[in-house]
Amino acid sequence: MSGIDRRTFLFLGLGSVLGGCMGTYWHGADEVEMNSPAPRTEEAAPAAPAETPAAPAEMSMPIYEDEGASAWWPDLRPIPRECWAVHPPRLARLRPMGRITRLTIHHEGSPQPNTAERTAEVAACLRLIAKIHVDQNLAGDIGYHYVIDRAGRIWEGRKLEYTGAHAGGDANDNNLGVMLLGNFDLQEPTERQKICLRAFVKLLSDRFGLGPRAILTHRELKPTRCPGDRLQEYVNRMRRTI
């Protein structure tokens, strides 16, 4: 699929925390610890619709990669939330997004390097992050709108119609959250993550009319290590080409 085709697809589709972000630590499938106190419950929307039914336990994972391509290019169609989530969002805790005026980049920030690349591993990681955000941080859903994994795939997180829970307090307003899996004080973002991040941020910037000053990192909004020195360095260079 050409770059133009990818952009057209996403345009149509978009219409229909100190060490890590929000204290998310991932040690494996069952062990979790927090490194920051849970924030207050997100402000409830005035009139929330009924919760949607849970996603089926078993869903086939779409395969987007073009194995015949001679040079790798990211597929900019996010893998739908329904492909990894097993619980619906808590709609009563969510607020409408409104007009998007900025974009904030994060890292996962677990205390050990993240090496997950298989879709099943990534999906399990996203489910654990979502569980922490919902059960411990009292958020309505996973805090980020999109996640980029180590293989350069984009995963849909919180639906774009809802305000995120990734930057803290009022900083979430009108703010689209993109998180990369890994701790970039401990490891480098992969080349595919960097290629994907640049292409996806350019796409989102064009879609929502965001200039370079509207592309931020978490540490530029509040005192935090996020998104790690290595990713911060890359974002500093990337913004000059957006």
Side-chain angles (χ1 to χ4, degrees):
M1 179 180 287
S2 69
I4 294 176
D5 290 338
R6 296 174 193 275
R7 295 180 180 183
T8 301
F9 181 95
L10 188 61
F11 291 168
L12 294 174
L14 287 175
S16 54
V17 228
L18 276 118
C21 297
M22 292 187 67
T24 300
Y25 271 3
W26 181 38
H27 294 264
D30 299 310
E31 186 179 353
V32 175
E33 70 183 51
M34 301 291 292
N35 75 328
S36 64
R40 294 176 297 175
T41 303
E42 293 182 57
E43 181 181 349
E51 293 194 354
T52 54
E58 296 294 334
M59 294 190 68
S60 60
M61 183 65 66
I63 304 301
Y64 290 150
E65 292 85 356
D66 180 2
E67 296 179 356
S70 57
W72 186 84
W73 178 255
D75 190 315
L76 300 181
R77 297 172 296 175
I79 296 173
R81 181 189 186 279
E82 291 76 14
C83 288
W84 62 268
V86 294
H87 300 293
R90 302 287 185 90
L91 296 178
R93 297 180 182 178
L94 299 176
R95 296 185 290 119
M97 168 69 94
R99 178 172 175 265
I100 293 172
T101 60
R102 53 187 171 172
L103 181 155
T104 299
I105 297 167
H106 305 259
H107 72 169
E108 173 200 4
S110 57
Q112 300 171 351
N114 187 317
T115 59
E117 291 198 6
R118 295 188 299 114
T119 55
E121 294 174 322
V122 175
C125 183
L126 296 183
R127 284 193 290 270
L128 181 57
I129 293 172
K131 179 177 177 60
I132 296 170
H133 289 187
V134 172
D135 293 350
Q136 299 185 32
N137 294 351
L138 302 180
D141 197 1
I142 190 169
Y144 317 103
H145 296 99
Y146 298 106
V147 176
I148 299 176
D149 70 19
R150 304 281 294 167
R153 293 178 293 253
I154 302 168
W155 299 70
E156 180 186 42
R158 180 177 298 215
K159 297 291 185 179
L160 202 56
E161 64 195 277
Y162 299 118
T163 296
H166 56 91
D170 294 343
N172 289 311
D173 294 346
N174 310 108
N175 190 350
L176 193 161
V178 178
M179 185 266 278
L180 278 66
L181 288 179
N183 183 331
F184 303 119
D185 278 331
L186 303 177
Q187 62 191 127
E188 293 285 344
T190 68
E191 286 303 310
R192 289 192 174 193
Q193 278 184 306
K194 292 189 289 187
I195 293 170
C196 182
L197 177 65
R198 184 185 182 282
F200 194 49
V201 168
K202 178 66 167 64
L203 185 67
L204 294 170
S205 297
D206 292 346
R207 168 69 177 83
F208 297 110
L210 306 179
R213 292 185 179 181
I215 300 168
L216 307 167
T217 64
H218 196 185
R219 67 172 59 174
E220 293 168 351
L221 291 172
K222 63 179 295 186
T224 175
R225 294 297 307 164
C226 181
D229 287 344
R230 293 167 176 83
L231 183 55
Q232 179 71 46
E233 180 181 354
Y234 178 74
V235 173
N236 291 343
R237 299 196 308 269
M238 181 189 78
R239 277 187 290 220
R240 296 195 290 267
T241 65
I242 296 299

